[in-house]
Amino acid sequence: MDRTNQKALLAELTSLLTKGNAHATFEEAIDGLTPKTWNQRVPDVPYTIWQLVEHLRIAQWDIVEFSIDAEHESPEFPEGYWPAPNATADEEQWQAALDHIRQQRQRFLHLLHAPGTDLLAPIPHGTGQTILREALLIADHNAYHIGEIVLLRRLLKDW
């Protein structure tokens, strides 16, 4: 890929990972939430907003670590990617999860923009994955669950 096309692709990937484009951003989806709301259950929904945020944190962390560290071991699937079904969070846990999500996003953006990063080269310790694929995976997975957060907020009359 020539330098001009790579710069354009990096700009698009950065936008995809940081902006809402066609949907709410992560920051917009969580803005103004309180412990009462993020821990509140909605009938027939298997998780709370807090549990979705924690799932996003774990999954994004796993993808970033896999992309960077050949020694990384992923959690067991699917149970390792979700908090306990009855888990709740206080303000400190909530803020720590949000900070971790933002830090991991920034780590991945640094990897994307690192001079030696070849977006299309297979990750050496993977099974054919590329950094481009991992960027799209983060964006797709996050967008899906951000939509669920917005829906839960609507059902809780908090959107």
Side-chain angles (χ1 to χ4, degrees), residues 17 25-35 38 48-58 60-61 89-107 142 145-146 149 153:
L17 293 166
T25 65
F26 177 71
E27 284 73 16
E28 290 166 342
I30 60 163
D31 186 47
L33 285 170
T34 64
W38 72 61
T48 63
I49 292 172
W50 154 248
Q51 291 165 343
L52 281 169
V53 166
E54 183 63 358
H55 171 67
L56 282 170
R57 183 194 69 76
I58 295 166
Q60 183 176 262
W61 162 82
D90 61 21
E91 185 75 42
E92 186 176 328
Q93 291 166 304
W94 175 258
Q95 197 56 54
L98 301 184
D99 291 346
H100 195 247
I101 287 169
R102 292 175 182 125
Q103 290 164 358
Q104 292 300 312
R105 179 176 54 204
Q106 198 57 45
R107 284 182 73 211
N142 286 359
H145 290 300
I146 289 166
I149 290 169
R153 289 190 73 170

Side-chain angles (χ1 to χ4, degrees), residues 68-89:
I68 294 171
D69 182 2
E71 302 300 315
H72 173 68
E73 291 186 31
S74 294
E76 288 293 320
F77 184 82
E79 61 276 357
Y81 289 85
W82 288 93
N86 59 350
T88 60

Side-chain angles (χ1 to χ4, degrees), residues 2 8-9 20 22 28 40-41 47-48 71 74 76-77 79 100 110 112-113 121 127 130 136 148:
D2 69 39
L9 182 56
E28 290 166 342
Q40 190 171 348
R41 294 220 166 262
Y47 33 70
T48 63
E71 302 300 315
S74 294
E76 288 293 320
F77 184 82
E79 61 276 357
H100 195 247
H110 283 297
L112 272 180
H113 290 272
T127 57
T130 65
L136 295 173
E148 289 185 306

Side-chain angles (χ1 to χ4, degrees), residues 1-9:
M1 179 180 322
D2 69 39
R3 189 163 174 76
T4 302
N5 287 338
Q6 175 136 343
K7 283 181 74 171
L9 182 56

